[in-house]
Amino acid sequence: MDEKRRKLAIWIVASLIFQGSIYLYFDQILLAPTSAYEVSAATDTVAGGKAYYSRDRRYTAIVKDNSVDIYMAARKEPVRTVELSNNKEVSFFRWLKDRDLALMAVHEETGATSSVTLTQIHPLGAEHELAETVSKLPRGSKIVDVAFSTATNVIYMQVQVSTNPEQYRVYRTDANRDLKRVYLNASKIGRIAVLYDRDTLFYDNIAEGTVTARHGDGSWEVVSPPVGKYRLVGVENNVIYLARLNAQGLATAIYTGRLKGKFAEERVLATPMDVRQITVQELGKAAGK
């Protein structure tokens, strides 16, 4: 083998090893199937930002517009600071529920467009913090929610691209870092959620008062009951939680069901509530689960 072919072979082998390492990292470390539910949203408002607690409160992240300060609770001392440049801001932060790792979304304005990035954050810092960036979005765009399953290794990012009127897009990526936009039958959507063991995205169409399941093969179906208007509360252990709305758009009852199954009233709320105040976790606490 001459020198030119030998170098080409070495380059190909190195590329394959690099790509394989990225896939294994996503598949075996970042998105390894150790939990049926993914993230913790436990937060408190603190001076200058919000405090996000890791799964067992071992770490606390103080998230501000341009920085994230991570503290180790036992020693009450900072262990890491993530500083962003002045034109970048944090729009989303959550700890995973089954390990000490967080997801952070950052948006950046460049001229008339914006770019948004979703990255992973290790409390103590690590060499391989992978990130996905969506560029050339309308100015002001930012990631406002993320849904993924550790079993399917698929991540959905909800990006707000306009505030007046409210408009959203959803992007999908996976362990192969195949990033693409998911085209939906609605632009004004509320929450997003996924099934644990299937590549199925749920989202609510606020304009219509319906909740839709969009499957990985591109097919979709309205899953909310045909009578009344509903919003998505969340999905846990493949159980879908919906909120039935009154004429004022407030939640009056919680319905539960599964894909391809019927939904039944699970409880009536004592007082009509803003759906944004209702989470699956809070429903579980109220039920003593």
Side-chain angles (χ1 to χ4, degrees):
M1 179 182 295
D2 58 31
E3 181 63 18
K4 189 175 181 180
R5 290 184 177 180
R6 189 179 70 82
K7 289 182 177 179
L8 178 61
I10 292 174
W11 183 84
I12 292 174
V13 170
S15 297
L16 291 173
I17 292 174
F18 178 72
Q19 293 179 15
S21 298
I22 291 176
Y23 181 86
L24 289 173
Y25 188 81
F26 263 103
D27 190 62
Q28 301 298 322
I29 299 178
L30 177 59
L31 300 176
T34 59
S35 171
Y37 203 67
E38 315 91 352
V39 292
S40 170
T43 60
D44 278 331
T45 299
V46 298
K50 285 189 175 181
Y52 292 76
Y53 307 107
S54 64
R55 51 179 176 157
D56 53 4
R57 294 192 173 236
R58 184 181 182 189
Y59 297 101
T60 302
I62 308 299
V63 180
K64 303 176 182 177
D65 288 344
N66 303 109
S67 66
V68 176
D69 297 317
I70 300 178
Y71 296 82
M72 181 171 283
R75 300 203 302 262
K76 297 181 179 178
E77 63 183 26
V79 294
R80 186 183 182 191
T81 295
V82 180
E83 293 281 0
L84 304 176
S85 58
N86 289 335
N87 60 337
K88 293 183 178 180
E89 289 189 4
V90 179
S91 66
F92 175 90
F93 187 95
R94 281 184 185 170
W95 289 99
L96 302 192
K97 250 199 166 181
D98 61 349
R99 70 202 76 179
D100 292 330
L101 186 69
L103 296 177
M104 179 182 73
V106 173
H107 63 100
E108 179 181 13
E109 312 298 332
T110 305
T113 65
S114 292
S115 62
V116 298
T117 299
L118 180 69
T119 187
Q120 63 192 58
I121 296 294
H122 294 268
L124 303 180
E127 295 181 359
H128 305 292
E129 293 189 331
L130 301 178
E132 288 287 0
T133 298
V134 183
S135 303
K136 297 182 180 178
L137 293 167
R139 186 175 175 83
S141 299
K142 57 185 178 182
I143 295 172
V144 295
D145 200 3
V146 174
F148 68 88
S149 165
T150 55
T152 61
N153 290 347
V154 173
I155 301 175
Y156 289 94
M157 296 176 280
Q158 182 184 1
V159 180
Q160 186 174 34
V161 295
S162 173
T163 56
N164 188 24
E166 282 189 35
Q167 291 187 338
Y168 299 86
R169 296 179 187 174
V170 172
Y171 290 84
R172 177 190 182 278
T173 188
D174 57 28
N176 294 316
R177 305 193 70 181
D178 180 20
L179 175 66
K180 58 186 178 183
R181 182 180 173 184
V182 178
Y183 289 91
L184 308 176
N185 63 347
S187 59
K188 188 175 181 180
I189 60 178
R191 286 182 174 142
I192 61 173
V194 294
L195 286 182
Y196 172 60
D197 56 3
R198 290 178 55 181
D199 179 13
T200 297
L201 169 73
F202 295 89
Y203 62 95
D204 42 11
N205 180 340
I206 294 178
E208 300 293 333
T210 57
V211 177
T212 300
R214 196 251 186 211
H215 306 292
D217 62 3
S219 62
W220 59 272
E221 58 186 301
V222 174
V223 298
S224 50
V227 178
K229 293 191 174 183
Y230 296 84
R231 290 281 302 275
L232 177 67
V233 175
V235 178
E236 187 170 53
N237 297 326
N238 286 356
V239 176
I240 306 162
Y241 292 78
L242 307 180
R244 180 165 179 157
L245 309 180
N246 62 14
Q248 290 71 44
L250 298 175
T252 58
I254 303 300
Y255 281 61
T256 58
R258 293 178 180 272
L259 195 62
K260 305 298 182 185
K262 293 184 178 179
F263 282 79
E265 184 179 280
E266 194 253 0
R267 76 184 71 174
V268 175
L269 301 178
T271 304
M273 297 177 60
D274 188 328
V275 178
R276 292 172 297 185
Q277 298 176 351
I278 306 173
T279 65
V280 174
Q281 293 91 336
E282 292 301 321
L283 291 172
K285 292 177 184 177
K289 297 177 181 178

